[in-house]
């Protein structure tokens, strides 16, 4: 059944914060980009799809280098 009960999926809020920095290197076309993302800052427990819980608080670091 496509209808979803509010008892199964109560409302939730997920707070995120992200930041990044981009730096051109000495070579004209090289670029380094670093970023960090903080997800689910409150550690809320919720499911978007029944039976598949979303992760709690987590941190994502990323580095991208292009040349």
């Amino acid at each position: 059944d496509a209808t979803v009960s509010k008892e199964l999926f109560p409302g939730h809020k997920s707070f995120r914060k992200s930041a990044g920095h981009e730096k051109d290197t000495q070579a004209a076309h090289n670029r380094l980009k670093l970023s960090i993302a903080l997800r689910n800052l409150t550690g809320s427990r919720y499911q978007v799809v029944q039976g598949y819980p979303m992760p709690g608080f987590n941190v994502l670091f990323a580095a991208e280098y292009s040349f």
Side-chain angles (χ1 to χ4, degrees):
D1 184 23
T3 306
V4 177
S5 165
K6 287 197 178 233
E7 289 81 34
L8 284 176
F9 300 103
H12 68 275
K13 292 182 181 178
S14 178
F15 297 97
R16 298 177 176 204
K17 183 68 179 167
S18 62
H21 180 72
E22 196 167 313
K23 171 96 174 136
D24 290 328
T25 59
Q26 294 294 332
H29 300 295
N30 294 357
R31 181 168 290 186
L32 175 64
K33 181 178 179 183
L34 302 172
S35 62
I36 182 172
L38 306 174
R39 297 180 177 172
N40 196 1
L41 294 174
T42 60
S44 298
R45 296 179 59 146
Y46 65 96
Q47 296 179 23
V48 175
V49 177
Q50 184 179 9
Y52 295 92
M54 297 301 291
F57 172 76
N58 61 84
V59 179
L60 173 68
F61 295 99
E64 181 181 328
Y65 183 76
S66 57
F67 51 95

